[in-house]
Amino acid sequence: MESTMGQARSAISKILCGEERSYTRFNLAQNMEGDNSQVEMKLSTDGDEEAPNSAAQNHAQNTYSRQPKRPSKNLAFIVIGIFLIFIIGFLIGYLTNYRQEADSDHCTPVTTEASTWEGPKEEVVPELDWSDIRSLLQDRLTAERFSSRLSDLSQSNHEAGSEGDELLANIVHQAFETYDMSPWNDEHFVKIQIPPSDSSNEVLFGEEQIGIPKGYLSYSATGTKEGRVVYVHYGELGDFENVTGTGIDLTGAVVLLRAGKISFAEKVANAAKLKAAAVLIYPDPADYTFEPSTELYGHVHLGSGDPYTPGFPSFNHTQFPPVKSSGLPEILAQTITANMAAKIVRKMGGLNAPSSWSEGSFVSMYKLGGENDTITVRVNNVLTERRIHNVFGAIKGFMDSDRYVVIGAQRDSWGPGYAKSTVGTSILLELAHAISDMVKNGDFRPRRSIVFASWSAGEYGSVGATEWLEGYLTSLGLKAFSYINLDGALTGHQTFKAAASPLLYKLVQNTMREMKSPIGEKPGEKSLYEQVAGSDWEQAVMVPMQQDDSAYPFLAFSGIPSVSFRFADLRGSGEYPYFGTVLDTKEKLDYATDHRTAQLAASAAQFAGQMALRLVHDHLLRLDVDRYVRHFRLFVAKVNRRVYQLKQSGGVSGTQMEALSVEWLKSAVGSYSRAATDLAVDIQNSDLSDVEMCRTINDRIMRVEANLLSPYVSPKDTPFRHIKFGSGSHTMEALLDHLNAIRERSPDSDTDLFRNQFALATWTIQSCANNLAGDVWAMNNEI
C-alpha cells in the first residue's frame, strides 16, 4: 500500500512541479562456475549523468526562476485529476495486497533474473496452483516419449571410461544444451580394478580346477590363498556367529557365501573381521532363477568413490602421497557361478548347516565344511587409471537460485545395464526436458534451482558422484538441500519401495498420496499411497538405505537429505536379480514389468519430478525436522535400557562406567525437540511473502542433516560421518553395540573409548539443536 501511495504522490508531484527523468543501469556478470552472478544497479538523475554541464543548467534554472509566475487556467482540472489519482491508487493497492495473501501453493514468479540472492525481491501475482503444475508435468511425461528415449540410450557396453560411456555422456550433454541448461562437465582420473588380460583368476578344490571365472570383484586384494572352505550362508554377522558358535575357527579359511541381502563389500568386511583368507560369492538358485553359468560382477570397497584418494577428489595432476581407503579389504574376494559353487558344495563335509540355509538350494542339506576340504583362490586383477566425466545441467531458480536440489542417475554399467542405468538416465533427460519446457513457456518459475547430474563409474561404488561431493564438499553443504536418486527406479510392477532421510519421509508420503498408482489390478484407480501403504505406510514402503545405494554418500558423507525409490516385485526382498550381470537387458526388464516398462518409467519420472518441483516451488522447504525427534528418543530409550542392564549385571562396579548417566543425552534430545517445536511456531507466525524471513527459516531447516555429521572424525579416515546413517565407532548404532560388548566383557570393549564417543555423539545432537534454534539468543537449552 505504501508503494502505491508513493506512486500516487510522485504522479501529483510531476503534475505540479514537472517530471524528473531517471533510469536504472544493470550490470549482470556471471562467474566461470555458472552458479554466482552479481547485479549492479545505479539510479541516476539528469544532474548525475550530465555533471559537466551543471553550470549552464544552473544558469538556465536561475533565469527561469526569475520569470514571473502565471496563474493556471486549469486549476479545477488539476484538483479533479489529483482526486482521481488518489482513488485509483487506493483501489490498486487494496487489490494488490489482497492477492498477495493467496495460498502458498501458488507459483510466484519474480521481477529479476539475477542468479544470486541479493536480498528481498518483490514477488508478482501467482499464476498456477500446485495441482496445475502437477498436471503440466504429467502431460509432458508420456509413455511414448519414454519408449523413444529408452531406445536411443540403450547400449550393449558402456563400462566406466569406455567409448560407450563417452558416447552416452555426449548424448546427455547435447540434450542439456538443447534444453538451454548451460551444461558443463566434471572430469576425474580414478583408479579401478579390472580382470587381467594376460592371465586369469582361478579356483581349485584340492588339485581339481573348479573353474576360471570371468566375473570379478573390483578392489579385491590380489595373490593366491589356500585354506579350508567354510560355508557361511549370506555372510551376515549373525551367520558368522552361528558358524563360530560350533567351534569352527575361520582364521585363514576360504569362506563360501551366497549373494544377496547385504552388499559384496559388507560380506567381505565381515569375513575379514574373523581373519578369513578369502571369500567366494555365488548366486544361489534359491535367490536367482537365471542360468547357473551366469557370472557376477561387483566391487568390495566398503565405501564410495576412488579408494586411492579417500576424502579428496581425483582431479588430474592431484599430488598426494600414496594413500588408500580404510574400506579396502586385505583379503581375496572373487565371484563364481552357481555351477562352480555346486561342485564345491557337493565335495564338502563336516557339520550340517542350519536346515533353513538349504531351502530352495541345489542341495538338500548344506555342510559347513571339513578340515580337509581345501580351496585355493587366485586373484590377479589389475589396477588401472580411467578418465571419467560427470555431466551437469541446471534450471536456475528465480528467487533463491543459489540453493538447489540435485537429481542424479548413473550412466555406466557392467553390461547392457538396462534397469541399472538406461532407465535412470532416460528419466533424468525426460525430466530435464519437461521441466525446462515448463519454465521456458512461463508455466512454472521455480524459487530454487534444479541441478541434473549424469554420473560415471557408479558400478565401482558411486565413484563419479562421490568425487564430485569430495571436490565441492564445503559449498554443497551450504547450497544443496536434497538429492533424488534415479538409479534402479524400475525393477518390477507389483509394489513400491523407498529409502530416505527422515527429513524426506513426509514428502515421500504426500507425493504418494497425490499420484495415481500405475501398479495393481486396475492402474490409475487408486492413489499410489492407497495401493501400497496399508495400515502402516512406513512399514510397507520405507526400507533402510544401504551402503551400495547411490544416494548413500550424499546422505552419510555430505549430510544432504537424500531419497531413492523403485517400483519393484514382491518376491524375496524385492531385489532385481540381474543387477551386476550381463543379463540386465530390455527383455528381462520388460518381463519383470509385465511389458509396461515405458508406462512405469513415466510414473517413476512423475514421482521424482513432483518431489523436486515441490522442493523448489514452496516458500518453505518441505523437510520435516520433527521426524528426527522420534529417532533420537528411540535411541535414548535403548541406551537407557542397556545402561540399566549393565549396572544391574554388576559388571561396572568400581569402574568409571558406574557413574555413567544418560541425562546429558536426554537433555540434548530435549533441546532438539524444543528447537523443532519453536521452528514450527516461527513458521506459523511468519509472513510467507517476506522473502528474507523465508530464507532465514530455510537456512535453519536445510542444515539439520549436515549438522548430524560428526565433526570429531576425519572425512578421510571415516568418510561416512553421519551419526545415524554412517559407519564407524561414532554412530548411534555402534554405541549400542559397544554397550553390549562392555556388558558381555568382550576383549574388544573399551570403557574409556565408549565414554568419549558417547559424549561426542551427545554433543553432535546438541550442536544440531543449537543450529536449528537459530540465533544464539533464541536457544532454549538445559545442559
Side-chain angles (χ1 to χ4, degrees), residues 726-741:
S727 61
S729 60
H730 64 284
T731 64
M732 297 191 299
E733 191 64 32
L735 289 171
L736 294 173
D737 292 340
H738 205 157
L739 272 175
N740 283 341

Side-chain angles (χ1 to χ4, degrees), residues 79-89:
V79 172
I80 293 172
I82 292 171
F83 180 76
L84 289 176
I85 289 171
F86 177 82
I87 294 299
I88 293 171

Side-chain angles (χ1 to χ4, degrees), residues 137 140-141 145-146 149 168-169 171-186 389-397 401 403-411 423-440 444 446 448-456 464-465 468 476 480-487 554 604-616:
L137 179 65
R140 286 168 166 79
L141 298 173
R145 289 176 65 162
F146 269 95
R149 181 74 73 178
L168 287 176
I171 292 174
V172 172
H173 191 281
Q174 290 170 7
F176 287 164
E177 198 165 33
T178 302
Y179 308 150
D180 296 330
M181 293 169 60
S182 304
W184 71 96
N185 291 348
D186 187 50
H389 292 94
N390 299 321
V391 184
F392 302 89
I395 296 175
K396 293 185 179 181
S401 61
R403 306 296 169 85
Y404 40 83
V405 57
V406 182
I407 306 176
Q410 171 183 320
R411 192 177 64 246
V423 170
T425 302
S426 298
I427 295 174
L428 182 78
L429 294 185
E430 284 302 314
L431 275 176
H433 189 187
I435 299 174
S436 62
D437 270 356
M438 292 168 61
V439 175
K440 284 182 196 174
F444 175 64
R448 293 166 279 275
S449 300
I450 306 175
V451 174
F452 295 84
S454 174
W455 313 113
S456 185
W468 183 66
L476 288 175
F481 53 82
S482 290
Y483 178 69
I484 300 174
N485 178 37
L486 304 178
D487 295 344
F554 285 84
Q606 178 75 16
F607 186 85
Q610 279 191 209
M611 286 195 296
L613 294 187
R614 199 54 149 164
L615 286 167
V616 301

Side-chain angles (χ1 to χ4, degrees), residues 12-59:
I12 295 170
S13 176
K14 290 176 181 177
I15 292 174
L16 295 177
C17 306
E19 183 175 278
E20 269 188 51
R21 290 189 299 114
S22 67
Y23 67 90
T24 304
R25 179 187 302 147
F26 283 88
N27 180 20
L28 182 62
Q30 188 175 32
N31 69 13
M32 294 299 293
E33 292 185 355
D35 65 334
N36 290 312
S37 300
Q38 297 176 347
V39 177
E40 177 184 346
M41 183 171 70
K42 181 177 180 181
L43 298 178
S44 301
T45 63
D46 286 344
D48 292 329
E49 186 70 9
E50 297 179 10
N53 298 324
S54 59
Q57 289 174 357
N58 289 337
H59 175 74

Side-chain angles (χ1 to χ4, degrees), residues 248-290:
I248 295 177
D249 184 6
L250 293 176
T251 303
V254 175
V255 178
L256 180 64
L257 304 175
R258 294 161 67 159
K261 291 199 174 181
I262 59 176
S263 68
F264 294 150
E266 290 172 290
K267 294 175 189 290
V268 174
N270 289 342
K273 290 176 183 177
L274 295 171
K275 301 180 181 179
V279 175
L280 296 175
I281 303 175
Y282 72 97
D284 196 284
D287 306 307
Y288 299 87
T289 58
F290 48 59

Side-chain angles (χ1 to χ4, degrees), residues 226-520:
E226 179 181 302
R228 67 173 292 189
V229 61
V230 181
Y231 176 67
V232 196
H233 205 33
Y234 289 103
E236 296 181 292
L237 288 175
D239 298 332
F240 279 102
E241 291 172 359
N242 282 334
V243 171
T244 56
T246 65
I248 295 177
D249 184 6
L250 293 176
T251 303
V254 175
V255 178
L256 180 64
L257 304 175
R258 294 161 67 159
K261 291 199 174 181
I262 59 176
S263 68
F264 294 150
E266 290 172 290
K267 294 175 189 290
V268 174
N270 289 342
K273 290 176 183 177
L274 295 171
K275 301 180 181 179
V279 175
L280 296 175
I281 303 175
Y282 72 97
D284 196 284
D287 306 307
Y288 299 87
T289 58
F290 48 59
E291 290 295 319
S293 59
T294 302
E295 304 277 355
L296 293 182
Y297 300 81
H299 76 91
V300 289
H301 175 212
L302 191 64
S304 65
D306 183 349
Y308 294 93
T309 58
F312 49 88
S314 301
F315 287 126
N316 194 16
H317 309 305
T318 303
Q319 298 296 317
F320 289 102
V323 65
K324 62 181 181 179
S325 167
S326 58
L328 279 177
E330 299 292 337
I331 66 176
L332 305 187
Q334 175 63 48
T335 56
I336 58 176
T337 67
N339 281 339
M340 296 177 194
K343 292 181 183 179
I344 296 174
V345 169
R346 292 189 178 107
K347 293 177 179 293
M348 291 172 64
L351 300 173
N352 288 336
S355 58
S356 59
W357 290 11
S358 303
E359 294 176 0
S361 189
F362 39 55
V363 291
S364 58
M365 179 62 68
Y366 273 104
K367 298 288 187 178
L368 294 180
E371 292 184 5
N372 297 321
D373 297 335
T374 303
I375 287 280
T376 301
V377 180
R378 295 192 177 101
V379 176
N380 298 306
N381 297 338
V382 178
L383 193 65
T384 185
E385 186 176 79
R386 292 271 181 91
R387 185 181 70 167
I388 63 170
H389 292 94
N390 299 321
V391 184
F392 302 89
I395 296 175
K396 293 185 179 181
F398 288 81
M399 184 69 68
D400 292 329
S401 61
D402 61 332
R403 306 296 169 85
Y404 40 83
V405 57
V406 182
I407 306 176
Q410 171 183 320
R411 192 177 64 246
D412 68 295
S413 71
W414 299 113
Y418 198 78
K420 183 70 171 182
S421 63
T422 302
V423 170
T425 302
S426 298
I427 295 174
L428 182 78
L429 294 185
E430 284 302 314
L431 275 176
H433 189 187
I435 299 174
S436 62
D437 270 356
M438 292 168 61
V439 175
K440 284 182 196 174
N441 295 338
D443 298 325
F444 175 64
R445 288 195 168 188
R447 293 174 177 275
R448 293 166 279 275
S449 300
I450 306 175
V451 174
F452 295 84
S454 174
W455 313 113
S456 185
E459 294 283 34
Y460 295 90
S462 303
V463 172
T466 304
E467 296 309 305
W468 183 66
L469 290 173
E470 290 174 341
Y472 304 97
L473 180 61
T474 304
S475 60
L476 288 175
L478 298 173
K479 297 181 178 181
F481 53 82
S482 290
Y483 178 69
I484 300 174
N485 178 37
L486 304 178
D487 295 344
L490 180 56
T491 60
H493 71 287
Q494 296 172 329
T495 189
F496 180 83
K497 297 291 181 180
S501 159
L503 296 177
L504 292 169
Y505 272 34
K506 185 173 288 186
L507 178 63
V508 170
Q509 182 184 26
N510 291 339
T511 305
M512 290 175 64
R513 292 183 188 277
E514 293 173 343
M515 268 194 64
K516 292 295 183 183
S517 174
I519 59 179

